[in-house]
Every structure is written in structure tokens, then in C-alpha cells.
Amino acid sequence: MKRLAELGLQLPAAGGGEGYYGKLYGKMKPHYQSDKLLFLSGQTAGVNSEGKVLYPGRLGRDLTVAQGYEAARLTGLNCLGCIVDAVGDLDRVKGLVRSLNFIASAPDFTEPHKVASGLTDLFEQVFGEEIGVGPRASIGVMSLADDYCFETWVTVEIH
């Protein structure tokens, strides 16, 4: 997609890769397509070259909103990579059906919506407002697998 290059963005090679799903987090598919709807499994910011989780911890205790926003943005890039893996091209995305975002938070953290904007702002930048902005919910939780601070569950409509 030309827009990715204009934004200076590079997608991960394989939306998390073959070993990402199934071995560490239980049996699941990275995505499932039913007619024109594409459901992505939970996506995170991923790991660095040493295999360590990017942005571990809880918002309001270990991480700032800006760090959480960046984790959500990296998660969005992984979602885009997963969409390419599933359907071959981001130009096939007709719309964002929904995003359900989970933010590992300290009990008194009240800004999960600001963290989730890292994901949804990226989608708007890549697809434009008409396609890239859709319904969303952002929920603070006590913990996520492997101490990730952000995880999302995205559904898109495909042409």
C-alpha cells in the first residue's frame, strides 16, 4: 500500500510469524475470514530481537500514557501485517468493523482510551477516516499474557 511508504511505516514480515500463535498462547488461528469479515486473534506490540516483550507492565504503575500509546501503535502495525497475511493487500480493507482493546492498568488508572488511540490513530492515518475509523472499546484489565500492556481484538470488512 502506497500510504504506508508515505508514512514511513514498515510492516512486520508475517503478522507475528508461524511460531507466534499456537506455541506460546494455546491453540488458535492468527485470523479467520467469514464471508467479508476478517477476525484477527489478539494482537500485541510483540517482542524485540532478544525475544523480550515490548512495553511490559501496567499503565499508571510502570508505564506512561505515551509509552502505552506507542505500544498500541506497534500493535496496530502487527494487525496490518496480519491483515496482509490473511488477504494479501491492505487495499482490500473496506472498513474497520470494531476494535476491542485491553490495557493492563493500575487500579486507579482512568485513561485507557488515550492508550488505545495509538492503534486507532494509526488506522486512520493508513486508511483515512472513512475506512480507518470504526467502533471501539477500551477496557482496563489487571494483567495480560506475558505482561504485555496492550492487546487488541480487531475485525475488518474486506472487499
Side-chain angles (χ1 to χ4, degrees):
M1 172 182 245
K2 183 179 170 186
R3 184 74 180 129
L4 289 174
E6 291 172 359
L7 293 170
L9 299 173
Q10 191 167 23
L11 295 182
E18 284 289 320
Y20 186 78
Y21 289 97
K23 292 181 181 174
L24 298 176
Y25 301 105
K27 290 185 178 180
M28 71 180 93
K29 296 177 180 177
H31 49 78
Y32 179 79
Q33 186 171 351
S34 176
D35 196 20
K36 294 182 178 183
L37 295 180
L38 177 66
F39 301 86
L40 305 184
S41 283
Q43 297 285 320
T44 64
V47 296
N48 64 19
S49 61
E50 297 170 355
K52 294 185 179 182
V53 167
L54 296 170
Y55 300 101
R58 292 184 189 169
L59 275 292
R61 186 187 74 183
D62 310 308
L63 299 166
T64 65
V65 169
Q67 290 170 314
Y69 182 95
E70 185 59 28
R73 186 172 174 84
L74 288 174
T75 300
L77 281 174
N78 287 331
C79 289
L80 297 176
C82 193
I83 292 168
V84 170
D85 287 347
V87 299
D89 190 342
L90 291 176
D91 289 333
R92 292 195 56 205
V93 174
K94 183 176 182 182
L96 179 64
V97 175
R98 74 167 190 177
S99 66
L100 177 57
N101 305 293
F102 303 95
I103 298 93
S105 309
D108 60 346
F109 184 73
T110 59
E111 299 179 308
H113 57 292
K114 292 181 180 177
V115 172
S117 289
L119 176 106
T120 53
D121 288 352
L122 174 71
F123 288 171
E124 180 183 23
Q125 291 168 356
V126 170
F127 295 113
E129 185 174 346
E130 181 67 26
I131 295 171
V133 177
R136 88 173 189 194
S138 304
I139 302 168
V141 298
M142 291 303 294
S143 68
L144 293 168
D146 286 341
D147 205 24
Y148 281 103
C149 73
F150 184 86
E151 182 170 348
T152 191
W153 197 24
V154 170
T155 304
V156 296
E157 184 176 10
I158 303 297
H159 286 284

